[in-house]
Amino acid sequence: MDNRDEVREFLTSRRAKITPEQAGLPAGSRRRVPGLRRSEVATLADVSVDYYGKLERGNLTGVSPAVLESIARALQLDEVERAHLLHLAQAQEGSDTLARPRSRSSRQRALPKSLQWTLDAVTAGPAFVTNGRLDLLAANPLARAFFADLYDSGGQAPNMARFQFLDPAARRFYPDWDLIADMTVDVLRTEAGRNPHDKDLHDLVGELSTRSDAFRTRWGSHNVRRHGTGVKRFHHAVVGELTLAWHGSAADDEPGLTLLIYTAEPGSPSEEALRLLSSWTASQNGATAG
């Protein structure tokens, strides 16, 4: 896997984010780069300038875990960024090919029935499953109603990144559109490092880069993040404003998949809105069945 451009751009972007003061170095008065110099990173990592220059040109072949850790420490990488650097090195070595389960297209992947049963057992909030490309693979009835705009966004399989950047409805659905856009791209960038052989992901990134300036700019920032927990604001076409907590957890028996659940604070207007949406969904389903 030739990912030298990705390695070069990632290391360069991380170096540009750190000021000399943050690294405990004198700032000086004649700096021509926004962050640290290569020589300063080399000193902090206890490697030669020539060796670090080779790494930043994208060549991680043969680099030991100890050196990678030194580089991560010098660049003040967080846990997710450290893992991303390791994945980039593994991809270059080819070691990830044997360690990682073979990627399967979401169009060919049959999920266990028990996973759908688990989602359907969640009745108080939207519950759904995504892969690293943010394809929406399965959902409980409340999640399908919650993401109605996404399911109605076209003939392609529902994808949260494609909806975010290519469907005008996303601007209404996400009041904090810029924040969610950043998170979306960061998750895709993390997946690209973790699973560099995913052709569907490459195709998605190529499509979004071509059709969305907002995506292309964010993709060039090389930021990474994992699913976790947080709070998001939404504006739903049927029930209006909601503020929901979300929690994502890996599906251990299905590598690469994440189960996410949105919940509202008990007694809050958002909880009432979810109840209203659930009732509305049941009435719509009943009318259709009738």
Side-chain angles (χ1 to χ4, degrees), residues 98-124:
L98 296 177
R100 181 179 298 121
R102 188 174 183 85
S103 176
R104 291 176 287 172
S105 167
S106 61
R107 292 183 292 273
Q108 301 171 344
R109 189 166 194 170
L111 300 181
K113 291 182 179 180
S114 59
L115 185 55
Q116 185 62 57
W117 298 341
T118 300
L119 296 175
D120 291 341
V122 179
T123 58

PDB file of all heavy atoms in Angstrom, residues 98-124:
ATOM      1  N   LEU A  98      -2.874  -8.900   6.899  1.00  0.00           N
ATOM      2  CA  LEU A  98      -3.119 -10.165   7.568  1.00  0.00           C
ATOM      3  C   LEU A  98      -3.866  -9.985   8.872  1.00  0.00           C
ATOM      4  O   LEU A  98      -4.639 -10.859   9.278  1.00  0.00           O
ATOM      5  CB  LEU A  98      -1.784 -10.861   7.836  1.00  0.00           C
ATOM      6  CG  LEU A  98      -0.989 -11.271   6.593  1.00  0.00           C
ATOM      7  CD1 LEU A  98       0.343 -11.885   7.013  1.00  0.00           C
ATOM      8  CD2 LEU A  98      -1.771 -12.236   5.729  1.00  0.00           C
ATOM      9  N   ALA A  99      -3.679  -8.853   9.536  1.00  0.00           N
ATOM     10  CA  ALA A  99      -4.258  -8.659  10.863  1.00  0.00           C
ATOM     11  C   ALA A  99      -5.725  -8.264  10.820  1.00  0.00           C
ATOM     12  O   ALA A  99      -6.468  -8.526  11.746  1.00  0.00           O
ATOM     13  CB  ALA A  99      -3.473  -7.587  11.619  1.00  0.00           C
ATOM     14  N   ARG A 100      -6.146  -7.637   9.725  1.00  0.00           N
ATOM     15  CA  ARG A 100      -7.492  -7.089   9.678  1.00  0.00           C
ATOM     16  C   ARG A 100      -8.416  -7.990   8.864  1.00  0.00           C
ATOM     17  O   ARG A 100      -8.033  -8.511   7.821  1.00  0.00           O
ATOM     18  CB  ARG A 100      -7.462  -5.696   9.036  1.00  0.00           C
ATOM     19  CG  ARG A 100      -8.815  -5.033   8.972  1.00  0.00           C
ATOM     20  CD  ARG A 100      -8.731  -3.653   8.355  1.00  0.00           C
ATOM     21  NE  ARG A 100      -7.887  -2.810   9.186  1.00  0.00           N
ATOM     22  CZ  ARG A 100      -6.781  -2.226   8.750  1.00  0.00           C
ATOM     23  NH1 ARG A 100      -6.403  -2.383   7.520  1.00  0.00           N
ATOM     24  NH2 ARG A 100      -6.052  -1.487   9.559  1.00  0.00           N
ATOM     25  N   PRO A 101      -9.656  -8.213   9.327  1.00  0.00           N
ATOM     26  CA  PRO A 101     -10.601  -8.986   8.530  1.00  0.00           C
ATOM     27  C   PRO A 101     -10.802  -8.341   7.164  1.00  0.00           C
ATOM     28  O   PRO A 101     -10.780  -7.122   7.028  1.00  0.00           O
ATOM     29  CB  PRO A 101     -11.904  -8.914   9.356  1.00  0.00           C
ATOM     30  CG  PRO A 101     -11.452  -8.613  10.742  1.00  0.00           C
ATOM     31  CD  PRO A 101     -10.233  -7.763  10.598  1.00  0.00           C
ATOM     32  N   ARG A 102     -10.968  -9.165   6.155  1.00  0.00           N
ATOM     33  CA  ARG A 102     -11.127  -8.669   4.795  1.00  0.00           C
ATOM     34  C   ARG A 102     -12.352  -7.772   4.714  1.00  0.00           C
ATOM     35  O   ARG A 102     -13.431  -8.111   5.169  1.00  0.00           O
ATOM     36  CB  ARG A 102     -11.266  -9.841   3.822  1.00  0.00           C
ATOM     37  CG  ARG A 102     -11.231  -9.414   2.356  1.00  0.00           C
ATOM     38  CD  ARG A 102     -11.222 -10.640   1.461  1.00  0.00           C
ATOM     39  NE  ARG A 102     -11.128 -10.261   0.066  1.00  0.00           N
ATOM     40  CZ  ARG A 102      -9.995 -10.021  -0.569  1.00  0.00           C
ATOM     41  NH1 ARG A 102      -8.862 -10.108   0.078  1.00  0.00           N
ATOM     42  NH2 ARG A 102      -9.978  -9.684  -1.837  1.00  0.00           N
ATOM     43  N   SER A 103     -12.173  -6.592   4.102  1.00  0.00           N
ATOM     44  CA  SER A 103     -13.271  -5.637   4.000  1.00  0.00           C
ATOM     45  C   SER A 103     -14.328  -6.156   3.039  1.00  0.00           C
ATOM     46  O   SER A 103     -14.015  -6.682   1.966  1.00  0.00           O
ATOM     47  CB  SER A 103     -12.742  -4.284   3.506  1.00  0.00           C
ATOM     48  OG  SER A 103     -13.796  -3.387   3.322  1.00  0.00           O
ATOM     49  N   ARG A 104     -15.572  -6.018   3.435  1.00  0.00           N
ATOM     50  CA  ARG A 104     -16.680  -6.424   2.575  1.00  0.00           C
ATOM     51  C   ARG A 104     -17.539  -5.220   2.259  1.00  0.00           C
ATOM     52  O   ARG A 104     -17.761  -4.357   3.091  1.00  0.00           O
ATOM     53  CB  ARG A 104     -17.532  -7.489   3.276  1.00  0.00           C
ATOM     54  CG  ARG A 104     -16.852  -8.812   3.431  1.00  0.00           C
ATOM     55  CD  ARG A 104     -17.740  -9.757   4.222  1.00  0.00           C
ATOM     56  NE  ARG A 104     -17.772  -9.383   5.630  1.00  0.00           N
ATOM     57  CZ  ARG A 104     -18.589  -9.935   6.511  1.00  0.00           C
ATOM     58  NH1 ARG A 104     -19.451 -10.852   6.123  1.00  0.00           N
ATOM     59  NH2 ARG A 104     -18.570  -9.557   7.759  1.00  0.00           N
ATOM     60  N   SER A 105     -18.023  -5.177   1.051  1.00  0.00           N
ATOM     61  CA  SER A 105     -18.887  -4.078   0.663  1.00  0.00           C
ATOM     62  C   SER A 105     -20.175  -4.125   1.459  1.00  0.00           C
ATOM     63  O   SER A 105     -20.720  -5.198   1.733  1.00  0.00           O
ATOM     64  CB  SER A 105     -19.207  -4.175  -0.843  1.00  0.00           C
ATOM     65  OG  SER A 105     -20.259  -3.306  -1.178  1.00  0.00           O
ATOM     66  N   SER A 106     -20.673  -2.945   1.844  1.00  0.00           N
ATOM     67  CA  SER A 106     -21.928  -2.892   2.588  1.00  0.00           C
ATOM     68  C   SER A 106     -23.077  -3.435   1.758  1.00  0.00           C
ATOM     69  O   SER A 106     -24.081  -3.891   2.285  1.00  0.00           O
ATOM     70  CB  SER A 106     -22.217  -1.446   3.011  1.00  0.00           C
ATOM     71  OG  SER A 106     -22.344  -0.608   1.880  1.00  0.00           O
ATOM     72  N   ARG A 107     -22.927  -3.386   0.434  1.00  0.00           N
ATOM     73  CA  ARG A 107     -24.006  -3.901  -0.421  1.00  0.00           C
ATOM     74  C   ARG A 107     -24.045  -5.417  -0.394  1.00  0.00           C
ATOM     75  O   ARG A 107     -25.018  -6.030  -0.807  1.00  0.00           O
ATOM     76  CB  ARG A 107     -23.802  -3.398  -1.862  1.00  0.00           C
ATOM     77  CG  ARG A 107     -24.001  -1.902  -2.012  1.00  0.00           C
ATOM     78  CD  ARG A 107     -23.859  -1.469  -3.459  1.00  0.00           C
ATOM     79  NE  ARG A 107     -22.490  -1.617  -3.920  1.00  0.00           N
ATOM     80  CZ  ARG A 107     -21.557  -0.681  -3.764  1.00  0.00           C
ATOM     81  NH1 ARG A 107     -21.835   0.433  -3.143  1.00  0.00           N
ATOM     82  NH2 ARG A 107     -20.332  -0.867  -4.226  1.00  0.00           N
ATOM     83  N   GLN A 108     -22.947  -6.063   0.074  1.00  0.00           N
ATOM     84  CA  GLN A 108     -22.887  -7.518   0.095  1.00  0.00           C
ATOM     85  C   GLN A 108     -22.976  -8.077   1.515  1.00  0.00           C
ATOM     86  O   GLN A 108     -23.054  -9.274   1.701  1.00  0.00           O
ATOM     87  CB  GLN A 108     -21.566  -7.986  -0.538  1.00  0.00           C
ATOM     88  CG  GLN A 108     -21.378  -7.517  -1.983  1.00  0.00           C
ATOM     89  CD  GLN A 108     -19.977  -7.801  -2.503  1.00  0.00           C
ATOM     90  OE1 GLN A 108     -19.060  -8.079  -1.744  1.00  0.00           O
ATOM     91  NE2 GLN A 108     -19.822  -7.729  -3.807  1.00  0.00           N
ATOM     92  N   ARG A 109     -22.983  -7.203   2.493  1.00  0.00           N
ATOM     93  CA  ARG A 109     -22.868  -7.653   3.876  1.00  0.00           C
ATOM     94  C   ARG A 109     -24.235  -7.961   4.466  1.00  0.00           C
ATOM     95  O   ARG A 109     -25.101  -7.102   4.518  1.00  0.00           O
ATOM     96  CB  ARG A 109     -22.172  -6.587   4.712  1.00  0.00           C
ATOM     97  CG  ARG A 109     -21.805  -7.049   6.112  1.00  0.00           C
ATOM     98  CD  ARG A 109     -20.837  -6.088   6.739  1.00  0.00           C
ATOM     99  NE  ARG A 109     -20.219  -6.641   7.934  1.00  0.00           N
ATOM    100  CZ  ARG A 109     -19.209  -6.084   8.567  1.00  0.00           C
ATOM    101  NH1 ARG A 109     -18.694  -4.957   8.122  1.00  0.00           N
ATOM    102  NH2 ARG A 109     -18.698  -6.643   9.645  1.00  0.00           N
ATOM    103  N   ALA A 110     -24.420  -9.179   4.899  1.00  0.00           N
ATOM    104  CA  ALA A 110     -25.651  -9.581   5.557  1.00  0.00           C
ATOM    105  C   ALA A 110     -25.430  -9.534   7.062  1.00  0.00           C
ATOM    106  O   ALA A 110     -24.588 -10.252   7.596  1.00  0.00           O
ATOM    107  CB  ALA A 110     -26.055 -10.988   5.118  1.00  0.00           C
ATOM    108  N   LEU A 111     -26.173  -8.680   7.738  1.00  0.00           N
ATOM    109  CA  LEU A 111     -26.018  -8.546   9.184  1.00  0.00           C
ATOM    110  C   LEU A 111     -26.803  -9.629   9.908  1.00  0.00           C
ATOM    111  O   LEU A 111     -27.847 -10.074   9.420  1.00  0.00           O
ATOM    112  CB  LEU A 111     -26.504  -7.166   9.632  1.00  0.00           C
ATOM    113  CG  LEU A 111     -25.777  -5.972   9.022  1.00  0.00           C
ATOM    114  CD1 LEU A 111     -26.346  -4.673   9.589  1.00  0.00           C
ATOM    115  CD2 LEU A 111     -24.285  -6.054   9.267  1.00  0.00           C
ATOM    116  N   PRO A 112     -26.340 -10.048  11.070  1.00  0.00           N
ATOM    117  CA  PRO A 112     -27.078 -11.063  11.835  1.00  0.00           C
ATOM    118  C   PRO A 112     -28.475 -10.556  12.204  1.00  0.00           C
ATOM    119  O   PRO A 112     -28.649  -9.381  12.543  1.00  0.00           O
ATOM    120  CB  PRO A 112     -26.214 -11.260  13.088  1.00  0.00           C
ATOM    121  CG  PRO A 112     -24.883 -10.708  12.746  1.00  0.00           C
ATOM    122  CD  PRO A 112     -25.099  -9.632  11.743  1.00  0.00           C
ATOM    123  N   LYS A 113     -29.442 -11.447  12.157  1.00  0.00           N
ATOM    124  CA  LYS A 113     -30.798 -11.061  12.546  1.00  0.00           C
ATOM    125  C   LYS A 113     -30.843 -10.571  13.985  1.00  0.00           C
ATOM    126  O   LYS A 113     -31.627  -9.685  14.328  1.00  0.00           O
ATOM    127  CB  LYS A 113     -31.748 -12.247  12.369  1.00  0.00           C
ATOM    128  CG  LYS A 113     -32.002 -12.636  10.922  1.00  0.00           C
ATOM    129  CD  LYS A 113     -32.986 -13.797  10.840  1.00  0.00           C
ATOM    130  CE  LYS A 113     -33.256 -14.184   9.391  1.00  0.00           C
ATOM    131  NZ  LYS A 113     -34.210 -15.323   9.298  1.00  0.00           N
ATOM    132  N   SER A 114     -29.967 -11.136  14.830  1.00  0.00           N
ATOM    133  CA  SER A 114     -29.969 -10.750  16.243  1.00  0.00           C
ATOM    134  C   SER A 114     -29.583  -9.290  16.421  1.00  0.00           C
ATOM    135  O   SER A 114     -30.006  -8.642  17.390  1.00  0.00           O
ATOM    136  CB  SER A 114     -29.011 -11.642  17.033  1.00  0.00           C
ATOM    137  OG  SER A 114     -27.689 -11.544  16.509  1.00  0.00           O
ATOM    138  N   LEU A 115     -28.806  -8.740  15.480  1.00  0.00           N
ATOM    139  CA  LEU A 115     -28.424  -7.336  15.578  1.00  0.00           C
ATOM    140  C   LEU A 115     -29.645  -6.446  15.358  1.00  0.00           C
ATOM    141  O   LEU A 115     -29.846  -5.461  16.072  1.00  0.00           O
ATOM    142  CB  LEU A 115     -27.324  -7.014  14.563  1.00  0.00           C
ATOM    143  CG  LEU A 115     -26.729  -5.610  14.614  1.00  0.00           C
ATOM    144  CD1 LEU A 115     -26.216  -5.283  16.004  1.00  0.00           C
ATOM    145  CD2 LEU A 115     -25.601  -5.483  13.591  1.00  0.00           C
ATOM    146  N   GLN A 116     -30.476  -6.810  14.391  1.00  0.00           N
ATOM    147  CA  GLN A 116     -31.712  -6.053  14.174  1.00  0.00           C
ATOM    148  C   GLN A 116     -32.659  -6.214  15.360  1.00  0.00           C
ATOM    149  O   GLN A 116     -33.333  -5.257  15.762  1.00  0.00           O
ATOM    150  CB  GLN A 116     -32.401  -6.511  12.887  1.00  0.00           C
ATOM    151  CG  GLN A 116     -33.638  -5.699  12.515  1.00  0.00           C
ATOM    152  CD  GLN A 116     -33.325  -4.243  12.246  1.00  0.00           C
ATOM    153  OE1 GLN A 116     -32.514  -3.930  11.392  1.00  0.00           O
ATOM    154  NE2 GLN A 116     -33.954  -3.334  12.990  1.00  0.00           N
ATOM    155  N   TRP A 117     -32.701  -7.407  15.949  1.00  0.00           N
ATOM    156  CA  TRP A 117     -33.546  -7.602  17.132  1.00  0.00           C
ATOM    157  C   TRP A 117     -33.084  -6.686  18.267  1.00  0.00           C
ATOM    158  O   TRP A 117     -33.912  -6.118  18.987  1.00  0.00           O
ATOM    159  CB  TRP A 117     -33.475  -9.059  17.603  1.00  0.00           C
ATOM    160  CG  TRP A 117     -33.964 -10.061  16.600  1.00  0.00           C
ATOM    161  CD1 TRP A 117     -34.761  -9.822  15.516  1.00  0.00           C
ATOM    162  CD2 TRP A 117     -33.664 -11.462  16.584  1.00  0.00           C
ATOM    163  NE1 TRP A 117     -34.988 -10.986  14.816  1.00  0.00           N
ATOM    164  CE2 TRP A 117     -34.321 -12.016  15.456  1.00  0.00           C
ATOM    165  CE3 TRP A 117     -32.907 -12.306  17.399  1.00  0.00           C
ATOM    166  CZ2 TRP A 117     -34.235 -13.362  15.133  1.00  0.00           C
ATOM    167  CZ3 TRP A 117     -32.823 -13.651  17.077  1.00  0.00           C
ATOM    168  CH2 TRP A 117     -33.490 -14.168  15.963  1.00  0.00           C
ATOM    169  N   THR A 118     -31.765  -6.549  18.403  1.00  0.00           N
ATOM    170  CA  THR A 118     -31.224  -5.673  19.447  1.00  0.00           C
ATOM    171  C   THR A 118     -31.660  -4.227  19.215  1.00  0.00           C
ATOM    172  O   THR A 118     -32.079  -3.530  20.149  1.00  0.00           O
ATOM    173  CB  THR A 118     -29.693  -5.759  19.472  1.00  0.00           C
ATOM    174  OG1 THR A 118     -29.297  -7.110  19.752  1.00  0.00           O
ATOM    175  CG2 THR A 118     -29.108  -4.831  20.530  1.00  0.00           C
ATOM    176  N   LEU A 119     -31.567  -3.778  17.976  1.00  0.00           N
ATOM    177  CA  LEU A 119     -31.983  -2.414  17.658  1.00  0.00           C
ATOM    178  C   LEU A 119     -33.469  -2.222  17.944  1.00  0.00           C
ATOM    179  O   LEU A 119     -33.873  -1.202  18.521  1.00  0.00           O
ATOM    180  CB  LEU A 119     -31.695  -2.108  16.184  1.00  0.00           C
ATOM    181  CG  LEU A 119     -30.230  -2.102  15.755  1.00  0.00           C
ATOM    182  CD1 LEU A 119     -30.132  -1.893  14.239  1.00  0.00           C
ATOM    183  CD2 LEU A 119     -29.451  -1.022  16.483  1.00  0.00           C
ATOM    184  N   ASP A 120     -34.287  -3.183  17.550  1.00  0.00           N
ATOM    185  CA  ASP A 120     -35.734  -3.058  17.726  1.00  0.00           C
ATOM    186  C   ASP A 120     -36.129  -3.068  19.203  1.00  0.00           C
ATOM    187  O   ASP A 120     -37.194  -2.558  19.568  1.00  0.00           O
ATOM    188  CB  ASP A 120     -36.455  -4.186  16.986  1.00  0.00           C
ATOM    189  CG  ASP A 120     -36.355  -4.036  15.476  1.00  0.00           C
ATOM    190  OD1 ASP A 120     -36.056  -2.919  15.010  1.00  0.00           O
ATOM    191  OD2 ASP A 120     -36.553  -5.044  14.769  1.00  0.00           O
ATOM    192  N   ALA A 121     -35.257  -3.651  20.044  1.00  0.00           N
ATOM    193  CA  ALA A 121     -35.556  -3.687  21.483  1.00  0.00           C
ATOM    194  C   ALA A 121     -35.372  -2.317  22.123  1.00  0.00           C
ATOM    195  O   ALA A 121     -35.875  -2.079  23.226  1.00  0.00           O
ATOM    196  CB  ALA A 121     -34.661  -4.715  22.174  1.00  0.00           C
ATOM    197  N   VAL A 122     -34.666  -1.415  21.452  1.00  0.00           N
ATOM    198  CA  VAL A 122     -34.489  -0.049  21.946  1.00  0.00           C
ATOM    199  C   VAL A 122     -35.680   0.772  21.472  1.00  0.00           C
ATOM    200  O   VAL A 122     -35.858   0.992  20.277  1.00  0.00           O
ATOM    201  CB  VAL A 122     -33.174   0.568  21.436  1.00  0.00           C
ATOM    202  CG1 VAL A 122     -33.021   1.999  21.947  1.00  0.00           C
ATOM    203  CG2 VAL A 122     -31.978  -0.281  21.847  1.00  0.00           C
ATOM    204  N   THR A 123     -36.496   1.225  22.385  1.00  0.00           N
ATOM    205  CA  THR A 123     -37.733   1.929  22.004  1.00  0.00           C
ATOM    206  C   THR A 123     -37.753   3.397  22.409  1.00  0.00           C
ATOM    207  O   THR A 123     -38.585   4.157  21.921  1.00  0.00           O
ATOM    208  CB  THR A 123     -38.953   1.232  22.625  1.00  0.00           C
ATOM    209  OG1 THR A 123     -38.794   1.191  24.054  1.00  0.00           O
ATOM    210  CG2 THR A 123     -39.087  -0.196  22.092  1.00  0.00           C
ATOM    211  N   ALA A 124     -36.826   3.805  23.289  1.00  0.00           N
ATOM    212  CA  ALA A 124     -36.870   5.180  23.792  1.00  0.00           C
ATOM    213  C   ALA A 124     -36.075   6.157  22.938  1.00  0.00           C
ATOM    214  O   ALA A 124     -36.197   7.376  23.122  1.00  0.00           O
ATOM    215  CB  ALA A 124     -36.351   5.234  25.230  1.00  0.00           C
TER     216      ALA A 124
END
